[in-house]
Amino acid sequence: MGIGVGSNVLECELTRAEFASALGMRPDQEFVEKVFPLVDRDGNGSISFREFLSFMIVYSSGSSADKLKLIFNMYDYDKNGSLHVEEIKAMIRSMLEMVSASIQPDELQTLINSLFLQANFQDKRRANI
């Protein structure tokens, strides 16, 4: 591999659509909509190789708590430090969407109720990290 090829890789950038396609997803899927801005650190609408590499290093070397916080922050839409029931529903729908699965609204509500009951949050409408 010549020097020119290596520098071309470093200069390569992916649009949201290309990023989604590389993940086998659609650009409008929740996961892509949440992760793309995290990786596109300069906010120019595309992900450079350096931005992608930086994100992967942080994600792969982070602790479980760091990864959990990253996922939590992806779905904390109003950035208030807690996930409301609707944000938790969006997170679950997004995760199911990634594996080409779906859930009916009543099944999702039953799942949320069960999760909150098991976490002893049945009287709360949000979860904190």
Side-chain angles (χ1 to χ4, degrees):
M1 177 159 91
I3 300 229
V5 173
S7 64
N8 284 342
V9 168
L10 292 177
E11 294 170 10
C12 178
E13 295 200 353
L14 296 176
T15 64
R16 181 185 302 262
E18 292 167 333
F19 178 69
S21 179
L23 296 174
M25 303 178 91
R26 296 183 323 272
D28 64 341
Q29 285 184 275
E30 183 86 20
F31 182 81
V32 173
E33 289 181 356
K34 292 296 172 194
V35 171
F36 189 86
L38 293 174
V39 181
D40 180 20
R41 300 186 98 183
D42 63 9
N44 71 347
S46 62
I47 296 173
S48 69
F49 179 75
R50 292 174 202 266
E51 287 172 321
F52 179 76
L53 188 58
S54 174
F55 178 81
M56 291 308 296
I57 288 170
V58 169
Y59 184 75
S60 66
S61 64
S63 68
S64 295
D66 291 338
K67 293 172 188 172
L68 180 61
K69 187 170 176 105
L70 174 68
I71 293 170
F72 183 93
N73 289 335
M74 284 172 50
Y75 293 94
D76 183 12
Y77 299 139
D78 55 12
K79 304 300 180 209
N80 69 351
S82 64
L83 294 181
H84 298 275
V85 171
E86 291 306 313
E87 293 168 327
I88 295 170
K89 286 180 183 179
M91 181 175 60
I92 292 170
R93 280 192 300 265
S94 173
M95 290 178 180
L96 288 171
E97 191 176 61
M98 286 189 326
V99 295
S100 301
S102 63
I103 190 168
Q104 296 299 314
D106 59 324
E107 294 172 320
L108 181 56
Q109 188 59 53
T110 300
L111 176 61
I112 295 293
N113 292 344
S114 175
L115 290 171
F116 271 56
L117 184 63
Q118 287 183 20
N120 204 25
F121 286 171
Q122 60 270 27
D123 298 327
K124 296 184 177 187
R125 299 302 302 157
R126 67 176 110 187
N128 298 329
I129 192 165

